[in-house]
């Protein structure tokens, strides 16, 4: 694995690593780590750093829905035109063009089911190219971006073993 | 009740005292654990579940399921080991059983088994249980903890009957190059030693490919190789290992095995088949994580002034503590709640060192290293 790939892999596991700790783990100089991170950010390979939050753990009322979206294209309108319009809404956390029965998979978040429903019906559905929306409310999250939710952190190994 | 003399001759484990201290404490971060913090690959676990659901709860062939022996035979070819699944592979209940079977089927009372030190703590008792005599052969950091013909000669191993090897090594993390092994192999051929080679950490080598001494000229016929699923596949609790050896040696080991274990756990054998068929990616992911932690831990020890040998295999660092390792380990445990194992537990050559397992998550590892650094700075004077 080259240095950049290895750095990306490490950050994908934990973006909170300090430069010094990353340098120790990769066996390279701190200055080299800083330069690589800067390069990856400039190239657009690293788009941001976020925590993966289990909102249930902080008793925060938060509603998420996966919205299937069908659209109709014409000579002047491409997928990227529609996506640019939808992506601007802060309520949209994820937006992907997918293959299969529908065109876009949209993740929408809000403070209540009412908020999310209203957003879909008043902001997304009226977009001229949108022909259909199907909203699936998320009832529980068990795994997100490779991280399993729930209490699986107990280490039941012996304190010492051969 | 009467106890056999050879059992009474075995001293209590050198880490038992630390167990007792740690048991009474809260918030202990343990770097004393010789097992991965990962769980077995999910595909292997589902294979175990599936085997139970289908009611596969009977004994298997004494030597292990043929399907598994075939997979093992294919698996070890990555290290140029070529063994016939019908005659030369024995599935055992952990690599530990494989070591015990080999010793019991090869060593006669009074035979001498050369054991490089520091080494895994079970080798010497296993030899004693078989009525043999263990001969310690010191290795040192000056030689990167590799075994040398000079060390063997000086220890009197020319008159030994068997040589026990463990590379990549527990507790030092040392590996041996093909050239270094070739010198040891020449010594074994010259003095007619059988080699028992514990290669349980073969899949956890970080600087290149593992070499088995059995692949060197004239060594296959005098070597028994041990390996298993505990370390590389994070399957410690499933207790499954294997031995590779010429047919007559496997037949002899199987004779002991069939009267003690009969056969290894059937559920674990099903898990192992799947582990070998489809879990290489999961194993590689674990190896990558261990490698990063290895660099991190060695770097931190050197930065805090505890000279740390550059371990290239297994999942242990072996820094020098610059004083009494038992005192260091006990004070560190009592005062900073970090458990590690004093090097002297593993025999001569381990004095003044610490075995530090980095089979622990990075977050805990960082906290543990911070605590050790504070301990060294505040309370420990590095000689």
């Amino acid at each position: 694995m080259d240095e950049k790939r290895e750095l990306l892999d490490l950050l994908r596991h934990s973006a909170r690593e300090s430069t010094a700790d990353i340098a120790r783990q990769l066996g390279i100089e701190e200055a080299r780590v800083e330069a690589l991170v800067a390069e990856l950010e400039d190239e657009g390979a690293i788009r941001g750093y976020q925590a993966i939050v289990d909102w249930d753990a902080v008793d925060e009322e938060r509603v998420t829905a996966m919205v299937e979206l069908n659209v109709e294209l014409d000579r002047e309108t491409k997928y990227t035109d529609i996506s640019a319009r939808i992506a601007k809404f802060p309520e949209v956390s994820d937006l992907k063009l997918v293959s299969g029965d529908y065109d876009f998979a949209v993740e929408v978040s809000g403070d209540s089911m009412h908020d999310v429903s209203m957003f879909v019906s008043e902001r997304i559905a009226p977009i001229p190219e949108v022909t259909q929306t199907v909203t699936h409310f998320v009832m529980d999250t068990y795994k997100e971006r490779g991280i399993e939710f729930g209490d699986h952190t107990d280490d039941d190994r012996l304190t010492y073993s051969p | 009740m009467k106890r056999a003399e050879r059992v009474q001759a075995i001293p209590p484990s050198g880490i038992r005292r630390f167990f007792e201290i740690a048991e009474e404490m809260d918030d202990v971060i343990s770097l004393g654990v010789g097992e991965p913090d990962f769980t077995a690959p999910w595909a292997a676990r589902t294979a175990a579940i599936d085997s139970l659901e289908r009611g596969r709860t009977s004994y298997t062939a004494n030597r292990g399921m043929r399907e598994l022996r075939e997979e093992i035979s294919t698996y070890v070819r990555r290290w140029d080991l070529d063994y016939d699944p019908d005659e030369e592979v024995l599935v055992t209940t952990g690599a530990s059983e494989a070591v015990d079977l080999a010793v019991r089927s090869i060593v006669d009372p009074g035979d001498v088994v050369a054991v490089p030190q520091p080494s895994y703590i079970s080798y010497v008792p296993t030899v004693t249980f078989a009525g043999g005599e263990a001969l310690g052969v010191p290795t040192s950091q000056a030689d990167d903890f590799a075994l040398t013909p000079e060390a063997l000669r000086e220890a009197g191993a020319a008159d030994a009957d068997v040589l026990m090897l463990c590379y990549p090594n527990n507790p030092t993390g040392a590996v041996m190059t093909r050239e270094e092994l070739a010198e040891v192999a020449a010594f074994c051929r010259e003095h007619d030693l059988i080699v028992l080679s514990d290669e349980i950490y073969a899949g956890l080598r970080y600087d290149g490919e593992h070499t088995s001494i059995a692949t060197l000229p004239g060594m296959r016929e005098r070597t028994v190789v041990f390996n298993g699923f505990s370390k590389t596949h994070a399957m410690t609790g499933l207790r499954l290992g294997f031995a590779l050896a010429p047919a007559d040696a496997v037949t002899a080991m199987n004779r002991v095995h069939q009267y003690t274990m009969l056969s290894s756990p059937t559920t674990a054998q099903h898990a192992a088949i799947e582990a070998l068929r489809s879990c290489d990616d999961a194993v590689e992911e674990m190896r990558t994580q261990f490698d990063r932690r290895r660099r991190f831990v060695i770097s931190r020890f050197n930065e805090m002034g505890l000279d740390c040998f550059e371990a290239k295999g297994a999942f242990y660092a072996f820094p020098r503590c610059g004083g009494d390792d038992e005192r260091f380990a006990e004070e560190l445990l009592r005062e900073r709640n970090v458990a590690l194992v004093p090097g002297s537990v593993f025999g001569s050559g381990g004095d003044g060192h610490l075995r530090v397992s980095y089979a622990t998550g990075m977050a805990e590892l960082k906290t543990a290293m911070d605590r050790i650094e504070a301990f060294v700075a505040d309370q420990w004077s590095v000689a």
Side-chain angles (χ1 to χ4, degrees):
Chain A
M1 213 187 299
D2 66 28
E3 280 180 344
K4 278 189 181 175
R5 278 299 185 100
E6 202 166 358
L7 176 57
L8 286 173
D9 190 48
L10 196 149
L11 290 174
R12 193 177 58 80
H13 280 91
S14 172
R16 285 196 71 212
E17 302 278 344
S18 69
T19 307
D21 283 346
I22 292 172
R24 290 185 183 107
Q25 289 177 69
L26 300 186
I28 59 179
E29 297 293 321
E30 282 187 55
R32 180 73 185 139
V33 174
E34 283 169 3
L36 286 171
V37 169
E39 273 179 43
L40 287 162
E41 287 174 347
D42 288 347
E43 291 165 4
I46 295 176
R47 297 282 178 159
Y49 304 85
Q50 289 186 335
I52 295 165
V53 179
D54 182 351
W55 291 102
D56 288 345
V58 287
D59 292 328
E60 188 85 14
E61 183 68 27
R62 191 177 176 84
V63 174
T64 302
M66 323 293 287
V67 183
E68 301 173 3
L69 213 66
N70 274 308
V71 298
E72 197 169 75
L73 304 181
D74 57 36
R75 285 178 187 278
E76 277 75 41
T77 314
K78 300 176 195 157
Y79 284 123
T80 48
D81 298 321
I82 302 169
S83 69
R85 189 167 174 180
I86 297 172
K88 295 281 189 293
F89 291 110
E91 291 88 345
V92 174
S93 52
D94 280 78
L95 174 61
K96 284 163 184 156
L97 183 66
V98 296
S99 62
D101 292 341
Y102 54 96
D103 299 310
F104 287 103
V106 191
E107 190 174 306
V108 177
S109 297
D111 291 339
S112 66
M113 287 177 80
H114 179 73
D115 280 356
V116 171
S117 302
M118 293 304 285
F119 172 75
V120 174
S121 61
E122 292 185 358
R123 296 279 178 266
I124 303 291
I127 294 171
E129 292 82 5
V130 172
T131 57
Q132 188 187 29
T133 65
V134 178
T135 304
H136 305 273
F137 283 99
V138 174
M139 297 167 71
D140 207 347
T141 301
Y142 305 110
K143 190 175 184 182
E144 190 170 311
R145 297 177 62 196
I147 305 290
E148 278 192 68
F149 284 21
D151 188 13
H152 303 296
T153 54
D154 286 349
D155 186 348
D156 57 1
R157 296 177 298 164
L158 299 170
T159 312
Y160 291 92
S161 62
Chain B
M1 188 183 288
K2 178 187 180 302
R3 285 169 296 158
E5 278 179 24
R6 66 181 60 165
V7 173
Q8 291 195 68
I10 305 291
S13 163
I15 54 177
R16 193 178 64 175
R17 189 161 55 89
F18 294 91
F19 267 119
E20 287 163 3
I21 299 168
E23 267 184 9
E24 293 170 5
M25 297 175 66
D26 295 323
D27 186 33
V28 171
I29 297 178
S30 178
L31 307 181
V33 192
E35 68 176 315
D37 56 320
F38 303 106
T39 39
W42 180 236
R45 284 188 274 161
T46 55
I49 294 165
D50 181 63
S51 78
L52 288 170
E53 282 179 343
R54 289 169 190 268
R56 290 173 175 160
T57 53
S58 316
Y59 294 130
T60 68
N62 296 134
R63 287 168 184 257
M65 293 167 62
R66 187 168 196 288
E67 213 177 344
L68 175 55
R69 284 182 274 127
E70 280 178 2
E71 291 294 339
I72 289 169
S73 179
T74 304
Y75 172 64
V76 299
R77 283 194 198 120
R78 67 187 63 190
W79 297 303
D80 296 326
L81 292 163
D82 186 12
Y83 287 87
D84 174 8
D86 289 326
E87 305 284 336
E88 298 178 320
V89 177
L90 178 66
V91 176
T92 58
T93 307
S96 301
E97 195 216 350
V99 174
D100 183 47
L101 293 176
V103 170
R104 283 203 278 165
S105 59
I106 290 169
V107 174
D108 277 320
D111 280 356
V112 174
V113 179
V115 182
Q117 291 185 328
S119 69
Y120 177 54
I121 58 175
S122 294
Y123 298 143
V124 171
T126 302
V127 170
T128 307
F129 288 141
E133 288 175 24
L135 172 72
V137 183
T139 64
S140 69
Q141 189 164 339
D143 293 319
D144 290 338
F145 291 107
L147 183 63
T148 62
E150 294 73 36
L152 284 164
R153 210 165 284 123
E154 280 172 25
D159 297 323
D161 303 284
V162 175
L163 169 64
M164 187 79 78
L165 279 184
C166 177
Y167 289 94
N169 181 264
N170 174 5
T172 62
V175 299
M176 281 182 68
T177 63
R178 190 172 189 84
E179 293 70 31
E180 288 167 338
L181 283 169
E183 291 183 10
V184 170
F187 181 93
C188 293
R189 288 193 303 271
E190 183 186 349
H191 299 287
D192 195 22
L193 266 66
I194 290 171
V195 176
L196 306 183
S197 184
D198 183 350
E199 300 175 21
I200 187 84
Y201 294 101
L204 294 175
R205 177 158 175 164
Y206 308 107
D207 73 327
E209 286 302 306
H210 168 72
T211 300
S212 171
I213 195 167
T215 62
L216 298 174
M219 293 307 294
R220 190 182 188 282
E221 57 266 36
R222 61 172 67 247
T223 303
V224 182
V225 176
F226 313 114
N227 206 324
F229 298 85
S230 292
K231 312 297 183 180
T232 43
H233 293 83
M235 286 166 50
T236 46
L238 287 166
R239 309 306 309 126
L240 208 68
F242 56 88
L244 310 168
D248 57 341
V250 165
T251 300
M253 282 189 277
N254 191 36
R255 196 168 298 166
V256 183
H257 176 69
Q258 71 187 359
Y259 292 119
T260 51
M261 285 294 167
L262 283 84
S263 63
S264 295
T266 306
T267 309
Q269 293 190 55
H270 283 286
I273 290 169
E274 191 58 35
L276 295 181
R277 282 185 182 157
S278 71
C279 297
D280 273 3
D281 287 349
V283 170
E284 179 55 23
E285 174 62 23
M286 290 190 268
R287 200 193 66 81
T288 301
Q289 299 298 329
F290 283 139
D291 192 14
R292 287 179 188 151
R293 297 174 190 180
R294 175 183 72 97
R295 293 187 193 128
F296 172 79
V297 167
I298 291 173
S299 172
R300 287 291 305 265
F301 274 122
N302 283 325
E303 285 164 20
M304 69 178 81
L306 301 190
D307 170 37
C308 191
F309 159 71
E310 193 182 344
K312 291 176 179 168
F315 39 61
Y316 309 106
F318 205 60
R320 254 196 260 261
C321 72
D324 181 339
D325 52 297
E326 288 218 15
R327 190 166 67 83
F328 185 105
E330 185 168 343
E331 287 181 16
L332 179 70
L333 177 58
R334 285 188 191 281
E335 294 172 32
R336 302 284 174 159
N337 295 40
V338 176
L340 38 73
V341 186
S344 51
V345 162
F346 301 96
S348 62
D351 297 348
H353 287 266
L354 308 162
R355 191 192 76 169
V356 179
S357 164
Y358 49 82
T360 296
M362 270 306 291
E364 285 206 306
L365 212 47
K366 284 180 189 174
T367 307
M369 298 309 290
D370 289 345
R371 290 183 188 180
I372 296 170
E373 187 170 20
F375 172 76
V376 171
D378 296 346
Q379 289 151 271
W380 189 260
S381 159
V382 180

